[in-house]
Amino acid sequence: MFTPNQIFLIVHITVSVVFLHAFAGGLATLVRVREGALARRIQVASVVGMAIMAWATVISGTWLIYPGYRAEPPAGAALEAYPRAWLMSGDATAWWHTFGMEWKEHVGWLAPFLATAVAVVVLLHGDAVRRDPRLRRILGVLFTTAFLATAVAAALGAAINKVAPNDFLLSAGVPDLREPFSPL
């Protein structure tokens, strides 16, 4: 049986994988232009799908996974159940939080904004996107930047999971979502 924190992690990883795969479909529709109503629907569905998955990825990571990661240990508690505190307790491991997790918390949020910008341009100016190769290149750069920000965040998340203890995933406690928190 899974704990709530393990279920949250599975949800986050699932939407992240769908997001990364949606990138390929969205970028393909920007690089290779096809005419017709079906091609237009596929292009719109691809870029809107990537934007939705980007939002689902950062929201699930920020409000479902991160509260368990950043929980403050009570006085005298073993730090293995508190990954952030454990990482910050050592000079050799503090970098993983101060750079790695900070990237995930802040730069990772670029992805949904950039993907949404591409989706809005395709929705509102689809004909111009199909006609203008320069516009498609600009959108492709935004789309790729969103992908790269997410890929770096995913790689850092995987590395942090290898370095920091993940005992909090086994606890039956659910993160307190009422606690004030601003990722930005």
Side-chain angles (χ1 to χ4, degrees):
M1 193 70 176
F2 294 112
T3 67
N5 288 327
Q6 288 173 323
I7 292 171
F8 294 155
L9 181 62
I10 291 168
V11 168
H12 178 64
I13 290 172
T14 301
V15 295
S16 301
V17 167
V18 173
F19 164 76
L20 293 175
H21 284 88
F23 166 76
L27 186 63
T29 65
L30 292 173
V31 171
R32 187 172 181 184
V33 178
R34 294 182 181 208
E35 296 299 325
L38 179 61
R40 166 117 173 94
R41 279 189 231 127
I42 290 172
Q43 184 181 51
V44 169
S46 297
V47 295
V48 170
M50 180 171 163
I52 290 170
M53 288 295 105
W55 283 107
T57 299
V58 296
I59 288 171
S60 66
T62 301
W63 279 286
L64 296 179
I65 303 300
Y66 190 60
Y69 166 83
R70 71 181 170 106
E72 291 293 328
L79 296 182
E80 284 75 20
Y82 303 93
R84 181 184 176 277
W86 187 88
L87 287 174
M88 295 301 289
S89 69
D91 291 338
T93 56
W95 179 87
W96 286 103
H97 174 76
T98 57
F99 177 76
M101 196 51 121
E102 292 294 327
W103 176 286
K104 289 181 64 66
E105 294 169 21
H106 301 287
V107 179
W109 273 87
L110 283 175
F113 286 102
L114 294 175
T116 301
V118 171
V120 167
V121 171
V122 168
L123 278 171
L124 297 180
H125 307 287
D127 292 335
V129 170
R130 280 190 296 285
R131 283 192 314 264
D132 188 349
R134 189 178 63 165
L135 180 56
R136 288 196 309 274
R137 277 195 300 274
I138 292 169
L139 294 177
V141 168
L142 291 177
F143 221 56
T144 302
T145 303
F147 173 78
L148 292 176
T150 303
V152 171
L156 287 170
I160 290 169
N161 282 334
K162 288 292 185 189
V163 174
N166 290 315
D167 293 357
F168 78 99
L169 292 172
L170 302 175
S171 73
V174 176
D176 185 359
L177 300 177
R178 297 169 298 167
E179 185 177 332
F181 172 67
S182 174
L184 302 177

